[in-house]
Amino acid sequence: QILLVESGGGLVQPGGSLRLSCVVSGFNLRYYSIGWFRQAPGKEREGISCISDTGGSSNYADSVKGRFTISKDNAKNTAYLQMNSLKPEDTAVYYCAAHRTGTDVLPPLTWKFNFWGQGTQVTISS
């Protein structure tokens, strides 16, 4: 059974940091690209970052570029999203997703990923 489980969300003050984790099971992460998405209340889901299967390539939405860093540890079957300098507008449910795109193929932020986690809430507020 393929599972993706996000964790690490919570309530943080503006300017703070969080690291989200996405633990996958049922498949080998070394063959899959990962995407992080978020959805705020009343808004459409937004792709914010993707990383290729090898971890050698990544991309970011303009809204998070320079503040967020995506990574993956294939040995631990875990992907991460380090979020720094958080803003109230970063408040959303964050989801990780996986897709077997091919060796070192970096999916765009609009890619239709096959497998999804259940999400973790991130709230930025003072």
Side-chain angles (χ1 to χ4, degrees):
Q1 182 182 6
I2 290 176
L3 284 176
L4 291 82
V5 180
E6 303 95 335
S7 63
L11 172 63
V12 176
Q13 291 187 342
S17 297
L18 282 173
R19 188 176 80 155
L20 304 184
S21 298
C22 173
V23 178
V24 309
S25 58
F27 62 96
N28 193 327
L29 186 58
R30 70 176 63 248
Y31 301 118
Y32 284 75
S33 298
I34 289 290
W36 283 96
F37 297 78
R38 67 186 181 187
Q39 187 165 21
K43 294 189 176 182
E44 291 189 356
R45 188 173 65 196
E46 172 189 19
I48 56 175
S49 185
C50 296
I51 189 167
S52 62
D53 55 354
T54 64
S57 303
S58 59
N59 53 21
Y60 298 91
D62 288 343
S63 57
V64 306
K65 199 172 295 182
R67 300 188 298 123
F68 290 12
T69 303
I70 192 171
S71 62
K72 65 199 302 267
D73 186 335
N74 289 335
K76 295 183 178 179
N77 254 14
T78 303
Y80 304 96
L81 185 68
Q82 178 68 43
M83 306 188 297
N84 299 328
S85 302
L86 285 161
K87 306 175 181 180
E89 51 263 43
D90 294 319
T91 295
V93 178
Y94 284 70
Y95 301 89
C96 66
H99 197 104
R100 189 161 183 168
T101 51
T103 302
D104 213 22
V105 173
L106 178 63
L109 298 177
T110 54
W111 190 261
K112 303 298 183 187
F113 282 77
N114 278 346
F115 307 109
W116 291 81
Q118 83 292 345
T120 185
Q121 176 70 46
V122 171
T123 303
I124 311 304
S125 175
S126 54

